[in-house]
Amino acid sequence: MLVSNSEIADIFKLMGNLLELHGENEFKARSYHTASFRLDKFPTPLYTMLAAERQTIDGIGKGIFVKLEEILSTGTMAELEKLIQNTPLGVIQMMKIKGIGPKKVRLIWKELEVESIGELLYACNENRLVSLSGFGEKTQQQIIKSIEFLQSNQGKQHYYEAEELALAIQKAIQEKGFRCEWVGELARACEIINRMEFLLEVSSGSNSTLISILQDFGYEQVESNEAEWLFRGDNRTLPLVVYPADSSNFPSRLFELQSGPEFLEAVSFDPTSFSSESEFFASRNLPFIIPEMRENRDTLSWAKDISQPDDLIQYIDLKGCIHNHSTWSDGANSIAEMAKACQEQGLSYFVISDHSKTAVYANGLSVDRVQQQQQEIDKLNSGFTNFRVYKSIESDILGDGSLDYDDLTLKSFDLVIASVHSNLKMDEEKATRRLLNAIENPYTRILGHPTGRLLLSRPGYPIDHRKIIDACAANKVVIELNSHPYRLDLDWRWIHYAQEKGVMISINPDAHEIAGIKDMRYGVLVARKAGLLKQNTLNALPLDLFENWVRNGK
């Protein structure tokens, strides 16, 4: 059985949560949470590595290593299965609710004898949680909202979670000699995936061979007809659909299945076979439109701005890495280690943007620590040639829209990223006004993750996107496309409007460790959906032009 990194991380996270739930050793629980965090972002599939290589992974101690090998061998852990058997399924599901960790779930379970999400929602509606220690009316209302949000997102995954398994499945199929391509939401790089879909060129015996391959990944066929074959795995995996095609209609089916229904209607698609996608677009007097953009009819107007496919931003076009955190605040690596990783990846500059003083929970920088960090950066830069570390900060936007440093401190940075991290429950008018005030601050150069959303976990706070983008245009403020796969904020649907208004987009990883630097790729994928041009991408600027942008200010 091939177990993906994200599945292993989920297993370790569940183990840590269950240990906390049952009041077991806190240090042991913490070790599992640390392993989950490390492995979720680990760049190499663990099942492709030698055991000796896995043993050297940072954050994986001897005890965790033994458990890791057990998971890779069996797909689970005996100790975890024992804990699961001693825990009602509904209690395990309650730990997925944002705002209540294992310890609070334990209180709900033991004190109120609530053993399911449905029972918990009923208890909230009866106002029963307010009697528990550590709970109150606001907490109870937030739990209700979180349950409603959770229930609306069942059976979905972030793109990055689905991608790893989809790549492994595609590779296994192709190694058997079959032509196999991603279609559906995977092909369009949608930020949220509801099911994995593949187009398969079939021949005699294709179905039986495919069944055997997918069984190795924990999938079983549940439905089959001439148009599609449906497979299902366990509750951690998405449904998988395979569309059979022959060599003659493969190009036409590929185009059809890689495109959204609205896009197909807009381009007047018909199922007539054609030899290539280029031939189809030429027949409609349209420029070539990449699969990521084949989402809706808006694409047809966006595509007019693209004279050549190479005009669209690509990962290789990125020259610098903006918005990163280090051990100075809540990051896992030093500035020097992060900078070295950027150099090794061929980048020319690195912008360190640790948390500001208001973010006490993230070890935000006091004014004295800002000065100390900047001295360290000066020392590092003295040893670089054709590479530079820039002094930045992710300054908290306070409730009234002001930033949380005095002007003298703000002036000391090469650039300031302004972001909201607290009081996320404002209405649209107040939230918009708050951002407008921050944008108008003379030291704000980049607006960070504009809505604060966490995909599948927390909806963004409501803002008037047009007013925000217009204000950024008037104040020469760049908008961040936060590339963490849980954020992808600014939403890609607003990128074209930003381009129309002359607002640049910065594709930033918000990296808290070296592995997070490569999250910029997820930002590029969704930016391409909106037709983002590399000329409108801040960190596609080479070092000399980025230096000019920094020095010219607003």
Side-chain angles (χ1 to χ4, degrees):
M1 175 180 288
L2 299 179
V3 189
S4 69
N5 290 6
S6 60
E7 289 174 327
I8 295 170
D10 286 345
I11 291 170
F12 279 147
K13 182 179 179 181
L14 178 58
M15 183 69 181
N17 285 343
L18 287 177
L19 288 171
E20 286 188 65
L21 179 75
H22 289 279
E24 300 289 340
N25 185 286
E26 289 190 11
F27 177 80
K28 185 178 180 181
R30 195 179 306 123
S31 68
Y32 281 105
H33 286 307
T34 300
S36 175
F37 177 79
R38 296 287 187 193
L39 298 181
D40 190 38
K41 288 292 187 180
F42 197 73
T44 305
L46 293 164
Y47 60 77
T48 67
M49 300 170 64
L50 298 174
E53 294 174 322
R54 291 193 288 266
Q55 199 165 11
T56 64
I57 297 172
D58 185 36
I60 304 300
K62 292 181 180 179
I64 294 294
F65 171 71
V66 172
K67 299 299 184 182
L68 173 59
E69 296 305 295
E70 183 182 357
I71 294 170
L72 288 169
S73 175
T74 68
T76 186
M77 297 186 295
E79 186 179 359
L80 174 62
E81 292 302 320
K82 184 177 179 181
L83 283 171
I84 290 173
Q85 289 174 9
N86 294 328
T87 313
L89 176 61
V91 173
I92 295 175
Q93 292 171 337
M94 279 196 288
M95 289 191 291
K96 297 179 181 179
I97 300 170
K98 187 171 180 61
I100 51 172
K103 292 179 181 178
K104 284 191 173 182
V105 171
R106 178 182 174 83
L107 268 177
I108 294 168
W109 176 25
K110 298 298 184 181
E111 297 294 326
L112 298 181
E113 298 183 350
V114 167
E115 294 190 353
S116 72
I117 291 177
E119 288 179 307
L120 177 56
L121 182 59
Y122 188 79
C124 288
N125 289 331
E126 287 196 331
N127 206 36
R128 293 169 55 201
L129 260 66
V130 295
S131 63
L132 293 179
S133 176
F135 290 81
E137 178 62 30
K138 287 185 178 179
T139 303
Q140 185 169 262
Q141 289 303 314
Q142 186 56 47
I143 289 172
I144 292 173
K145 290 181 180 178
S146 296
I147 291 174
E148 291 171 347
F149 189 82
L150 179 67
Q151 291 175 335
S152 70
N153 287 294
Q154 293 292 332
K156 301 178 182 180
Q157 284 185 353
H158 300 96
Y159 174 88
Y160 96 98
E161 292 175 300
E163 180 189 47
E164 183 180 355
L165 180 58
L167 283 169
I169 289 173
Q170 183 186 38
K171 180 181 178 182
I173 294 172
Q174 290 174 337
E175 285 176 347
K176 293 295 185 180
F178 293 102
R179 185 181 180 187
C180 177
E181 299 291 344
W182 288 8
V183 293
E185 294 163 334
L186 281 170
R188 299 197 301 277
C190 295
E191 59 268 56
I192 300 300
I193 306 296
N194 291 278
R195 63 183 191 172
M196 292 191 288
E197 299 173 88
F198 301 87
L199 178 65
L200 182 72
E201 187 175 319
V202 298
S203 58
S204 177
S206 297
N207 193 302
S208 59
T209 304
L210 183 67
I211 289 173
S212 177
I213 293 170
L214 292 181
Q215 282 177 337
D216 290 338
F217 290 92
Y219 278 96
E220 297 291 339
Q221 188 169 25
V222 296
E223 188 177 318
S224 176
N225 56 54
E226 291 184 0
E228 62 182 59
W229 304 336
L230 175 62
F231 297 80
R232 292 194 184 277
D234 61 27
N235 59 6
R236 292 197 302 269
T237 55
L238 297 173
L240 187 152
V241 180
V242 174
Y243 300 98
D246 57 41
S247 57
S248 63
N249 72 346
F250 195 95
S252 178
R253 287 290 283 160
L254 181 64
F255 181 90
E256 179 182 7
L257 294 168
Q258 285 186 337
S259 305
E262 187 179 323
F263 177 81
L264 289 174
E265 181 182 354
V267 297
S268 302
F269 176 80
D270 63 64
T272 305
S273 295
F274 49 84
S275 60
S276 69
E277 294 171 327
S278 297
E279 177 186 317
F280 174 82
F281 285 119
S283 70
R284 300 296 193 275
N285 294 316
L286 291 169
F288 184 87
I289 299 173
I290 61 171
E292 294 98 310
M293 291 183 70
R294 299 173 195 169
E295 199 71 59
N296 53 44
R297 64 179 67 256
D298 292 338
T299 293
L300 300 186
S301 61
W302 298 352
K304 295 174 183 177
D305 299 332
I306 306 166
S307 56
Q308 298 292 331
D310 286 349
D311 291 342
L312 282 174
I313 188 66
Q314 302 178 69
Y315 187 69
I316 196 173
D317 294 325
L318 301 183
K319 308 302 181 188
C321 184
I322 302 171
H323 188 172
N324 305 276
H325 299 269
S326 73
T327 49
W328 278 90
S329 64
D330 60 344
N333 296 99
S334 68
I335 298 175
E337 289 169 338
M338 297 284 278
K340 181 181 178 183
C342 285
Q343 289 177 293
E344 290 172 348
Q345 293 178 35
L347 300 172
S348 301
Y349 49 93
F350 171 74
V351 180
I352 184 67
S353 314
D354 275 310
H355 285 288
S356 58
K357 64 180 184 179
T358 301
V360 177
Y361 61 89
N363 193 27
L365 274 62
S366 65
V367 173
D368 287 343
R369 294 181 67 224
V370 166
Q371 294 170 353
Q372 294 166 21
Q373 185 190 70
Q374 291 182 353
Q375 290 169 6
E376 178 183 309
I377 294 170
D378 286 336
K379 186 175 180 180
L380 282 172
N381 279 329
S382 67
F384 291 137
T385 302
N386 298 322
F387 184 86
R388 184 172 178 82
V389 176
Y390 286 92
K391 305 167 186 174
S392 178
I393 196 75
E394 186 179 17
S395 184
D396 267 33
I397 300 174
L398 304 180
D400 62 357
S402 60
L403 305 186
D404 63 340
Y405 288 116
D406 60 84
D407 286 356
L408 187 62
T409 303
L410 291 171
K411 188 177 181 179
S412 70
F413 296 107
D414 292 318
L415 65 136
V416 171
I417 300 173
S419 303
V420 169
H421 292 108
S422 60
N423 190 13
L424 306 181
K425 299 178 177 64
M426 302 176 101
D427 60 31
E428 181 176 312
E429 183 180 353
K430 290 182 179 178
T432 300
R433 184 69 259 168
R434 183 184 189 183
L435 292 188
L436 291 176
N437 288 343
I439 291 165
E440 291 165 0
N441 187 299
Y443 295 103
T444 298
R445 301 300 309 279
I446 299 176
L447 176 63
H449 44 72
T451 73
R453 75 180 184 182
L454 292 175
L455 294 165
L456 298 183
S457 297
R458 181 178 75 203
Y461 44 83
I463 60 172
D464 186 323
H465 280 82
R466 290 184 182 274
K467 284 185 178 179
I468 295 302
I469 292 170
D470 290 348
C472 286
N475 290 274
K476 298 182 181 178
V477 169
V478 173
I479 298 180
E480 173 180 84
L481 195 176
N482 188 296
S483 298
H484 191 290
Y486 284 13
R487 288 192 182 272
L488 299 176
D489 181 20
L490 180 73
D491 188 287
W492 64 268
R493 295 160 185 83
W494 288 100
I495 288 177
H496 188 262
Y497 182 73
Q499 288 194 114
E500 283 185 337
K501 294 296 181 177
V503 176
M504 295 192 81
I505 301 295
S506 189
I507 300 176
N508 301 342
D510 198 355
H512 284 68
E513 61 177 340
I514 287 171
I517 294 169
K518 291 186 177 179
D519 280 352
M520 289 190 291
R521 189 175 69 84
Y522 300 113
V524 169
L525 286 173
V526 294
R528 286 168 64 84
K529 289 177 71 64
L532 179 63
L533 305 177
K534 59 187 174 185
Q535 70 190 47
N536 296 330
T537 307
L538 178 65
N539 52 325
L541 294 176
L543 178 58
D544 57 341
L545 294 183
F546 184 75
E547 175 74 16
N548 289 342
W549 178 84
V550 169
R551 297 303 162 212
N552 288 338
K554 290 173 70 171

